[in-house]
mmCIF file of all heavy atoms in Angstrom:
data_model
loop_
_atom_site.group_PDB
_atom_site.id
_atom_site.type_symbol
_atom_site.label_atom_id
_atom_site.label_comp_id
_atom_site.label_asym_id
_atom_site.label_seq_id
_atom_site.Cartn_x
_atom_site.Cartn_y
_atom_site.Cartn_z
ATOM 1 N N VAL A 147 55.590 277.319 138.314
ATOM 2 C CA VAL A 147 56.120 276.924 139.616
ATOM 3 C C VAL A 147 55.803 278.031 140.605
ATOM 4 O O VAL A 147 55.882 279.285 140.316
ATOM 5 C CB VAL A 147 57.695 276.882 139.602
ATOM 6 C CG1 VAL A 147 58.279 276.588 140.957
ATOM 7 C CG2 VAL A 147 58.153 275.825 138.602
ATOM 8 N N VAL A 148 55.350 277.606 141.768
ATOM 9 C CA VAL A 148 55.066 278.529 142.943
ATOM 10 C C VAL A 148 56.184 278.213 143.869
ATOM 11 O O VAL A 148 56.363 277.070 144.274
ATOM 12 C CB VAL A 148 53.689 278.358 143.548
ATOM 13 C CG1 VAL A 148 53.608 278.984 144.975
ATOM 14 C CG2 VAL A 148 52.648 279.054 142.653
ATOM 15 N N THR A 149 56.855 279.244 144.425
ATOM 16 C CA THR A 149 57.838 279.038 145.498
ATOM 17 C C THR A 149 57.283 279.773 146.779
ATOM 18 O O THR A 149 56.542 280.652 146.734
ATOM 19 C CB THR A 149 59.223 279.582 145.093
ATOM 20 O OG1 THR A 149 59.086 280.950 144.773
ATOM 21 C CG2 THR A 149 59.673 278.861 143.875
ATOM 22 N N ALA A 150 57.886 279.344 147.967
ATOM 23 C CA ALA A 150 57.568 279.956 149.230
ATOM 24 C C ALA A 150 58.563 279.481 150.214
ATOM 25 O O ALA A 150 59.165 278.428 150.170
ATOM 26 C CB ALA A 150 56.118 279.578 149.619
ATOM 27 N N ARG A 151 58.780 280.360 151.262
ATOM 28 C CA ARG A 151 59.642 280.041 152.351
ATOM 29 C C ARG A 151 59.102 280.726 153.625
ATOM 30 O O ARG A 151 58.865 281.911 153.615
ATOM 31 C CB ARG A 151 61.072 280.539 152.069
ATOM 32 C CG ARG A 151 62.063 280.324 153.210
ATOM 33 C CD ARG A 151 63.480 280.870 152.746
ATOM 34 N NE ARG A 151 64.464 280.562 153.689
ATOM 35 C CZ ARG A 151 65.034 281.466 154.508
ATOM 36 N NH1 ARG A 151 64.718 282.686 154.462
ATOM 37 N NH2 ARG A 151 66.044 281.067 155.267
ATOM 38 N N ALA A 152 58.943 279.880 154.651
ATOM 39 C CA ALA A 152 58.507 280.449 155.895
ATOM 40 C C ALA A 152 57.311 281.284 155.866
ATOM 41 O O ALA A 152 57.163 282.221 156.581
ATOM 42 C CB ALA A 152 59.682 281.155 156.572
ATOM 43 N N VAL A 153 56.283 280.905 155.073
ATOM 44 C CA VAL A 153 55.120 281.650 154.886
ATOM 45 C C VAL A 153 53.997 281.196 155.817
ATOM 46 O O VAL A 153 53.376 281.928 156.452
ATOM 47 C CB VAL A 153 54.572 281.654 153.435
ATOM 48 C CG1 VAL A 153 53.247 282.374 153.292
ATOM 49 C CG2 VAL A 153 55.625 282.317 152.540
ATOM 50 N N ALA A 154 53.725 279.825 155.861
ATOM 51 C CA ALA A 154 52.665 279.216 156.591
ATOM 52 C C ALA A 154 52.888 277.789 156.581
ATOM 53 O O ALA A 154 53.655 277.165 155.772
ATOM 54 C CB ALA A 154 51.361 279.619 155.933
ATOM 55 N N PRO A 155 52.134 277.069 157.444
ATOM 56 C CA PRO A 155 52.136 275.551 157.411
ATOM 57 C C PRO A 155 51.744 275.132 156.008
ATOM 58 O O PRO A 155 50.871 275.849 155.314
ATOM 59 C CB PRO A 155 51.078 275.144 158.474
ATOM 60 C CG PRO A 155 51.053 276.329 159.489
ATOM 61 C CD PRO A 155 51.342 277.541 158.555
ATOM 62 N N LEU A 156 52.153 273.938 155.575
ATOM 63 C CA LEU A 156 51.972 273.457 154.206
ATOM 64 C C LEU A 156 50.495 273.420 153.825
ATOM 65 O O LEU A 156 50.173 273.817 152.673
ATOM 66 C CB LEU A 156 52.563 272.129 154.092
ATOM 67 C CG LEU A 156 52.586 271.509 152.673
ATOM 68 C CD1 LEU A 156 53.441 272.478 151.755
ATOM 69 C CD2 LEU A 156 53.197 270.151 152.690
ATOM 70 N N ASP A 157 49.587 273.019 154.623
ATOM 71 C CA ASP A 157 48.194 272.939 154.220
ATOM 72 C C ASP A 157 47.634 274.284 153.875
ATOM 73 O O ASP A 157 46.939 274.436 152.857
ATOM 74 C CB ASP A 157 47.324 272.171 155.242
ATOM 75 C CG ASP A 157 47.431 272.876 156.649
ATOM 76 O OD1 ASP A 157 48.285 273.695 156.814
ATOM 77 O OD2 ASP A 157 46.623 272.409 157.439
ATOM 78 N N ARG A 158 47.929 275.339 154.652
ATOM 79 C CA ARG A 158 47.482 276.677 154.407
ATOM 80 C C ARG A 158 48.214 277.193 153.182
ATOM 81 O O ARG A 158 47.581 277.912 152.379
ATOM 82 C CB ARG A 158 47.678 277.518 155.614
ATOM 83 C CG ARG A 158 46.726 278.793 155.711
ATOM 84 C CD ARG A 158 47.022 279.728 156.783
ATOM 85 N NE ARG A 158 47.374 278.959 158.096
ATOM 86 C CZ ARG A 158 48.120 279.532 158.989
ATOM 87 N NH1 ARG A 158 48.553 280.794 158.880
ATOM 88 N NH2 ARG A 158 48.451 278.885 160.089
ATOM 89 N N LEU A 159 49.496 277.026 153.140
ATOM 90 C CA LEU A 159 50.248 277.572 152.008
ATOM 91 C C LEU A 159 49.750 277.020 150.734
ATOM 92 O O LEU A 159 49.667 277.792 149.742
ATOM 93 C CB LEU A 159 51.703 277.176 152.209
ATOM 94 C CG LEU A 159 52.672 277.403 151.070
ATOM 95 C CD1 LEU A 159 52.723 278.956 150.749
ATOM 96 C CD2 LEU A 159 54.080 276.919 151.325
ATOM 97 N N ALA A 160 49.358 275.703 150.689
ATOM 98 C CA ALA A 160 48.913 275.122 149.425
ATOM 99 C C ALA A 160 47.635 275.779 149.035
ATOM 100 O O ALA A 160 47.338 275.864 147.764
ATOM 101 C CB ALA A 160 48.665 273.617 149.666
ATOM 102 N N THR A 161 46.753 276.147 149.930
ATOM 103 C CA THR A 161 45.430 276.801 149.549
ATOM 104 C C THR A 161 45.735 278.080 148.871
ATOM 105 O O THR A 161 44.942 278.493 147.998
ATOM 106 C CB THR A 161 44.613 277.061 150.869
ATOM 107 O OG1 THR A 161 44.438 275.782 151.560
ATOM 108 C CG2 THR A 161 43.355 277.663 150.553
ATOM 109 N N TRP A 162 46.801 278.768 149.273
ATOM 110 C CA TRP A 162 47.155 280.062 148.548
ATOM 111 C C TRP A 162 47.941 279.860 147.306
ATOM 112 O O TRP A 162 47.661 280.465 146.275
ATOM 113 C CB TRP A 162 47.985 280.893 149.479
ATOM 114 C CG TRP A 162 47.325 281.273 150.794
ATOM 115 C CD1 TRP A 162 46.028 281.375 151.101
ATOM 116 C CD2 TRP A 162 48.007 281.565 152.049
ATOM 117 N NE1 TRP A 162 45.783 281.736 152.372
ATOM 118 C CE2 TRP A 162 46.998 281.839 152.953
ATOM 119 C CE3 TRP A 162 49.378 281.556 152.438
ATOM 120 C CZ2 TRP A 162 47.318 282.110 154.310
ATOM 121 C CZ3 TRP A 162 49.608 281.917 153.813
ATOM 122 C CH2 TRP A 162 48.589 282.143 154.674
ATOM 123 N N GLY A 163 48.905 278.884 147.331
ATOM 124 C CA GLY A 163 49.799 278.807 146.189
ATOM 125 C C GLY A 163 49.334 277.961 145.008
ATOM 126 O O GLY A 163 49.533 278.273 143.885
ATOM 127 N N ILE A 164 48.717 276.782 145.285
ATOM 128 C CA ILE A 164 48.391 275.855 144.217
ATOM 129 C C ILE A 164 47.367 276.431 143.180
ATOM 130 O O ILE A 164 47.499 276.279 142.018
ATOM 131 C CB ILE A 164 47.808 274.513 144.789
ATOM 132 C CG1 ILE A 164 48.926 273.779 145.417
ATOM 133 C CG2 ILE A 164 47.034 273.700 143.805
ATOM 134 C CD1 ILE A 164 48.618 272.418 145.975
ATOM 135 N N PRO A 165 46.424 277.232 143.631
ATOM 136 C CA PRO A 165 45.436 277.871 142.631
ATOM 137 C C PRO A 165 46.098 278.810 141.640
ATOM 138 O O PRO A 165 45.527 279.125 140.629
ATOM 139 C CB PRO A 165 44.433 278.541 143.534
ATOM 140 C CG PRO A 165 44.457 277.846 144.794
ATOM 141 C CD PRO A 165 45.863 277.458 145.050
ATOM 142 N N LEU A 166 47.410 279.229 141.945
ATOM 143 C CA LEU A 166 48.095 280.156 141.051
ATOM 144 C C LEU A 166 48.881 279.374 139.959
ATOM 145 O O LEU A 166 49.398 279.992 139.023
ATOM 146 C CB LEU A 166 49.098 281.005 141.818
ATOM 147 C CG LEU A 166 48.635 281.870 142.943
ATOM 148 C CD1 LEU A 166 49.662 282.576 143.647
ATOM 149 C CD2 LEU A 166 47.595 282.801 142.376
ATOM 150 N N LEU A 167 48.806 278.020 140.007
ATOM 151 C CA LEU A 167 49.543 277.257 139.129
ATOM 152 C C LEU A 167 48.794 276.952 137.836
ATOM 153 O O LEU A 167 47.568 276.960 137.789
ATOM 154 C CB LEU A 167 49.942 275.875 139.729
ATOM 155 C CG LEU A 167 51.009 275.897 140.828
ATOM 156 C CD1 LEU A 167 50.992 274.525 141.475
ATOM 157 C CD2 LEU A 167 52.389 276.288 140.323
ATOM 158 N N ARG A 168 49.540 276.717 136.772
ATOM 159 C CA ARG A 168 48.920 276.283 135.495
ATOM 160 C C ARG A 168 48.834 274.730 135.639
ATOM 161 O O ARG A 168 49.400 274.126 136.440
ATOM 162 C CB ARG A 168 49.712 276.719 134.333
ATOM 163 C CG ARG A 168 51.240 276.201 134.324
ATOM 164 C CD ARG A 168 51.987 276.805 133.151
ATOM 165 N NE ARG A 168 51.463 276.263 131.901
ATOM 166 C CZ ARG A 168 51.857 276.741 130.673
ATOM 167 N NH1 ARG A 168 52.653 277.807 130.659
ATOM 168 N NH2 ARG A 168 51.426 276.243 129.608
ATOM 169 N N PRO A 169 47.997 274.162 134.809
ATOM 170 C CA PRO A 169 47.912 272.672 134.878
ATOM 171 C C PRO A 169 49.273 271.967 134.780
ATOM 172 O O PRO A 169 50.144 272.443 133.992
ATOM 173 C CB PRO A 169 47.012 272.363 133.561
ATOM 174 C CG PRO A 169 46.200 273.556 133.444
ATOM 175 C CD PRO A 169 47.096 274.688 133.802
ATOM 176 N N TYR A 170 49.493 271.018 135.562
ATOM 177 C CA TYR A 170 50.715 270.192 135.642
ATOM 178 C C TYR A 170 51.886 270.970 136.208
ATOM 179 O O TYR A 170 53.052 270.650 135.917
ATOM 180 C CB TYR A 170 51.021 269.538 134.329
ATOM 181 C CG TYR A 170 49.796 268.742 133.742
ATOM 182 C CD1 TYR A 170 49.015 269.177 132.802
ATOM 183 C CD2 TYR A 170 49.501 267.570 134.387
ATOM 184 C CE1 TYR A 170 47.908 268.494 132.299
ATOM 185 C CE2 TYR A 170 48.347 266.806 133.927
ATOM 186 C CZ TYR A 170 47.583 267.385 132.878
ATOM 187 O OH TYR A 170 46.481 266.643 132.415
ATOM 188 N N GLY A 171 51.578 272.099 136.939
ATOM 189 C CA GLY A 171 52.682 272.874 137.562
ATOM 190 C C GLY A 171 53.045 272.292 138.885
ATOM 191 O O GLY A 171 52.566 271.152 139.283
ATOM 192 N N GLU A 172 53.856 272.957 139.616
ATOM 193 C CA GLU A 172 54.371 272.455 140.895
ATOM 194 C C GLU A 172 54.642 273.571 141.874
ATOM 195 O O GLU A 172 55.021 274.645 141.523
ATOM 196 C CB GLU A 172 55.595 271.645 140.674
ATOM 197 C CG GLU A 172 56.746 272.301 140.040
ATOM 198 C CD GLU A 172 58.028 271.397 139.817
ATOM 199 O OE1 GLU A 172 58.050 270.385 140.487
ATOM 200 O OE2 GLU A 172 58.790 271.760 138.917
ATOM 201 N N MET A 173 54.389 273.266 143.114
ATOM 202 C CA MET A 173 54.746 274.179 144.231
ATOM 203 C C MET A 173 56.073 273.689 144.939
ATOM 204 O O MET A 173 56.102 272.440 145.253
ATOM 205 C CB MET A 173 53.600 274.230 145.262
ATOM 206 C CG MET A 173 53.883 275.255 146.348
ATOM 207 S SD MET A 173 52.427 275.433 147.482
ATOM 208 C CE MET A 173 52.537 273.861 148.365
ATOM 209 N N LEU A 174 56.986 274.561 145.147
ATOM 210 C CA LEU A 174 58.223 274.221 145.827
ATOM 211 C C LEU A 174 58.318 275.049 147.053
ATOM 212 O O LEU A 174 58.511 276.289 147.082
ATOM 213 C CB LEU A 174 59.449 274.469 144.958
ATOM 214 C CG LEU A 174 59.461 273.632 143.603
ATOM 215 C CD1 LEU A 174 60.644 274.178 142.722
ATOM 216 C CD2 LEU A 174 59.618 272.156 143.890
ATOM 217 N N ALA A 175 58.173 274.416 148.219
ATOM 218 C CA ALA A 175 58.243 275.069 149.495
ATOM 219 C C ALA A 175 59.401 274.688 150.347
ATOM 220 O O ALA A 175 59.675 273.548 150.618
ATOM 221 C CB ALA A 175 56.866 274.748 150.327
ATOM 222 N N LEU A 176 60.225 275.733 150.657
ATOM 223 C CA LEU A 176 61.373 275.494 151.468
ATOM 224 C C LEU A 176 60.978 275.270 152.874
ATOM 225 O O LEU A 176 60.310 276.135 153.449
ATOM 226 C CB LEU A 176 62.319 276.712 151.376
ATOM 227 C CG LEU A 176 63.330 276.774 150.231
ATOM 228 C CD1 LEU A 176 63.791 278.162 149.974
ATOM 229 C CD2 LEU A 176 64.432 275.716 150.381
ATOM 230 N N LYS A 177 61.257 274.196 153.464
ATOM 231 C CA LYS A 177 60.841 273.860 154.786
ATOM 232 C C LYS A 177 62.080 273.325 155.678
ATOM 233 O O LYS A 177 63.149 273.035 155.086
ATOM 234 C CB LYS A 177 59.720 272.735 154.813
ATOM 235 C CG LYS A 177 58.429 273.133 154.209
ATOM 236 C CD LYS A 177 57.647 274.045 155.201
ATOM 237 C CE LYS A 177 56.307 274.544 154.703
ATOM 238 N NZ LYS A 177 55.607 275.299 155.680
ATOM 239 N N GLY A 178 61.826 273.203 156.962
ATOM 240 C CA GLY A 178 62.945 272.695 157.785
ATOM 241 C C GLY A 178 62.665 271.234 158.213
ATOM 242 O O GLY A 178 62.232 270.419 157.442
ATOM 243 N N ASP A 179 62.954 270.939 159.511
ATOM 244 C CA ASP A 179 62.830 269.625 160.049
ATOM 245 C C ASP A 179 61.418 269.124 160.057
ATOM 246 O O ASP A 179 61.228 267.909 160.172
ATOM 247 C CB ASP A 179 63.409 269.563 161.444
ATOM 248 C CG ASP A 179 64.923 269.915 161.541
ATOM 249 O OD1 ASP A 179 65.643 269.787 160.414
ATOM 250 O OD2 ASP A 179 65.404 270.378 162.510
ATOM 251 N N THR A 180 60.404 270.027 159.883
ATOM 252 C CA THR A 180 59.039 269.551 160.047
ATOM 253 C C THR A 180 58.462 269.188 158.669
ATOM 254 O O THR A 180 57.274 268.860 158.550
ATOM 255 C CB THR A 180 58.158 270.768 160.588
ATOM 256 O OG1 THR A 180 58.192 271.831 159.604
ATOM 257 C CG2 THR A 180 58.703 271.189 161.915
ATOM 258 N N ALA A 181 59.318 269.100 157.611
ATOM 259 C CA ALA A 181 58.834 268.854 156.330
ATOM 260 C C ALA A 181 57.996 267.631 156.158
ATOM 261 O O ALA A 181 56.823 267.585 155.649
ATOM 262 C CB ALA A 181 59.960 268.879 155.242
ATOM 263 N N GLU A 182 58.502 266.577 156.663
ATOM 264 C CA GLU A 182 57.843 265.237 156.513
ATOM 265 C C GLU A 182 56.545 265.228 157.247
ATOM 266 O O GLU A 182 55.463 264.707 156.766
ATOM 267 C CB GLU A 182 58.750 264.094 157.021
ATOM 268 C CG GLU A 182 58.276 262.682 156.626
ATOM 269 C CD GLU A 182 59.252 261.619 156.848
ATOM 270 O OE1 GLU A 182 60.469 261.929 157.004
ATOM 271 O OE2 GLU A 182 58.863 260.434 157.032
ATOM 272 N N GLU A 183 56.597 265.726 158.471
ATOM 273 C CA GLU A 183 55.345 265.739 159.300
ATOM 274 C C GLU A 183 54.341 266.708 158.640
ATOM 275 O O GLU A 183 53.104 266.273 158.632
ATOM 276 C CB GLU A 183 55.750 266.353 160.686
ATOM 277 C CG GLU A 183 54.626 266.466 161.680
ATOM 278 C CD GLU A 183 55.091 267.032 162.970
ATOM 279 O OE1 GLU A 183 56.224 266.886 163.309
ATOM 280 O OE2 GLU A 183 54.144 267.656 163.718
ATOM 281 N N GLU A 184 54.709 267.838 158.105
ATOM 282 C CA GLU A 184 53.707 268.731 157.473
ATOM 283 C C GLU A 184 53.089 268.064 156.315
ATOM 284 O O GLU A 184 51.983 268.206 155.969
ATOM 285 C CB GLU A 184 54.407 270.025 157.052
ATOM 286 C CG GLU A 184 54.645 270.957 158.232
ATOM 287 C CD GLU A 184 55.017 272.304 157.792
ATOM 288 O OE1 GLU A 184 54.291 272.909 156.899
ATOM 289 O OE2 GLU A 184 56.047 272.976 158.210
ATOM 290 N N LEU A 185 53.884 267.332 155.514
ATOM 291 C CA LEU A 185 53.479 266.761 154.305
ATOM 292 C C LEU A 185 52.372 265.616 154.654
ATOM 293 O O LEU A 185 51.363 265.519 153.885
ATOM 294 C CB LEU A 185 54.606 266.078 153.515
ATOM 295 C CG LEU A 185 54.354 265.583 152.047
ATOM 296 C CD1 LEU A 185 53.664 266.669 151.291
ATOM 297 C CD2 LEU A 185 55.698 265.097 151.516
ATOM 298 N N LYS A 186 52.645 264.928 155.681
ATOM 299 C CA LYS A 186 51.676 263.850 156.097
ATOM 300 C C LYS A 186 50.409 264.479 156.587
ATOM 301 O O LYS A 186 49.273 264.082 156.187
ATOM 302 C CB LYS A 186 52.342 263.051 157.181
ATOM 303 C CG LYS A 186 53.364 262.048 156.733
ATOM 304 C CD LYS A 186 53.909 261.269 157.878
ATOM 305 C CE LYS A 186 55.005 260.311 157.472
ATOM 306 N NZ LYS A 186 55.587 259.564 158.683
ATOM 307 N N SER A 187 50.438 265.489 157.418
ATOM 308 C CA SER A 187 49.253 266.192 157.917
ATOM 309 C C SER A 187 48.439 266.913 156.836
ATOM 310 O O SER A 187 47.298 267.118 157.010
ATOM 311 C CB SER A 187 49.548 267.084 159.068
ATOM 312 O OG SER A 187 50.406 268.134 158.646
ATOM 313 N N ALA A 188 49.105 267.278 155.781
ATOM 314 C CA ALA A 188 48.466 268.026 154.746
ATOM 315 C C ALA A 188 47.977 267.172 153.566
ATOM 316 O O ALA A 188 47.362 267.747 152.572
ATOM 317 C CB ALA A 188 49.430 269.077 154.161
ATOM 318 N N ALA A 189 48.128 265.892 153.625
ATOM 319 C CA ALA A 189 47.816 264.943 152.643
ATOM 320 C C ALA A 189 46.401 265.198 152.053
ATOM 321 O O ALA A 189 46.199 265.260 150.828
ATOM 322 C CB ALA A 189 48.136 263.598 152.961
ATOM 323 N N THR A 190 45.442 265.176 152.929
ATOM 324 C CA THR A 190 44.076 265.239 152.501
ATOM 325 C C THR A 190 43.784 266.603 151.827
ATOM 326 O O THR A 190 43.123 266.673 150.780
ATOM 327 C CB THR A 190 43.140 265.138 153.725
ATOM 328 O OG1 THR A 190 43.315 263.850 154.290
ATOM 329 C CG2 THR A 190 41.659 265.200 153.295
#
Side-chain angles (χ1 to χ4, degrees):
V147 178
V148 162
T149 59
R151 178 179 187 252
V153 174
L156 186 61
D157 54 351
R158 202 185 326 155
L159 173 61
T161 302
W162 301 332
I164 287 180
L166 301 178
L167 290 170
R168 57 186 292 169
Y170 307 104
E172 60 184 338
M173 184 176 73
L174 300 172
L176 278 162
K177 290 288 183 179
D179 297 337
T180 63
E182 191 170 341
E183 181 182 332
E184 284 193 50
L185 191 52
K186 287 180 180 177
S187 63
T190 300

